Amino acid sequence: MKIQIINGPNLNLLGTREPDIYGNSSFDAFLPELRAQYPDVEIEYYQSNIEGELIDRMQEVGFTADGIVLNAGAYTHTSIALHDCILSLACPVVEVHISNVHKREEFRRKSMIASACIGIIAGFGLHSYSLAIAGLLARNEPSADNG
Ligand code: DQA
């Protein structure tokens, strides 16, 4: 099983960026912990601040990976291009947020990508990524109802 994690703009600053909202850990520090949690899953990681680069990466992996865990950052709320990209891929995509976007500013309540994703996880800090992987794995279980 191969899962691609993709982080969008400003998520390279995790650990120093608004730590009261996003926590004190960088993603690089968290990644080994996540990989240890899922030893049988090949977890790849990519981050970019550039919308087109996120799309390029999704197109690169979206026909071979078993799933994509996408935190599109602020592009979540604006990007029709990411929405269209998700729809064009063969693999399922989970929308992830570290913070509970529904508890914050009004503009964060709107997601341009949610309707193209198989599910959404938000508000569990970095555990949101782990829960998204658990969701993708559960879909592959024989008893799964993927409705
Ligand atoms: C975020 C929430 C977005 O609204 C924000 O623009 C981010 C991070 C989150 O993980 O909570 O950059 O996606």
Side-chain angles (χ1 to χ4, degrees):
M1 179 109 181
K2 193 170 163 179
I3 290 178
Q4 173 75 54
I5 296 174
I6 298 182
N7 273 347
N10 302 309
L11 293 164
N12 53 316
L13 296 181
L14 284 177
T16 56
R17 172 195 184 194
E18 300 181 88
D20 46 320
I21 297 174
Y22 299 113
N24 295 300
S25 175
S26 69
F27 203 83
D28 282 345
F30 169 65
L31 198 50
E33 201 184 300
L34 188 64
R35 287 189 170 127
Q37 235 183 309
Y38 296 102
D40 298 332
V41 180
E42 199 183 318
I43 299 174
E44 289 188 12
Y45 176 58
Y46 179 79
Q47 190 278 330
S48 174
N49 292 324
I50 299 167
E51 187 177 19
E53 287 185 357
L54 297 171
I55 291 169
D56 282 347
R57 184 65 178 182
M58 304 240 305
Q59 290 184 0
E60 258 166 53
V61 302
F63 298 91
T64 51
D66 297 294
I68 295 175
V69 173
L70 173 65
N71 185 344
Y75 288 139
T76 304
H77 315 298
T78 61
S79 179
I80 296 170
L82 274 175
H83 168 101
D84 288 353
C85 173
I86 295 165
L87 287 182
S88 69
L89 303 178
C91 78
V93 178
V94 182
E95 174 182 337
V96 160
H97 300 286
I98 295 163
S99 65
N100 180 351
V101 283
H102 295 279
K103 224 176 155 183
R104 300 179 63 193
E105 300 95 328
E106 180 72 34
F107 65 82
R108 293 187 206 277
R109 294 195 191 151
K110 169 101 187 142
S111 170
M112 298 302 288
I113 63 173
S115 66
C117 291
I118 57 154
I120 305 157
I121 311 267
F124 294 94
L126 291 174
H127 295 298
S128 291
Y129 293 88
S130 173
L131 294 169
I133 293 173
L136 284 166
L137 292 176
R139 276 173 60 90
N140 281 356
E141 282 165 16
S143 61
D145 175 0
N146 293 326

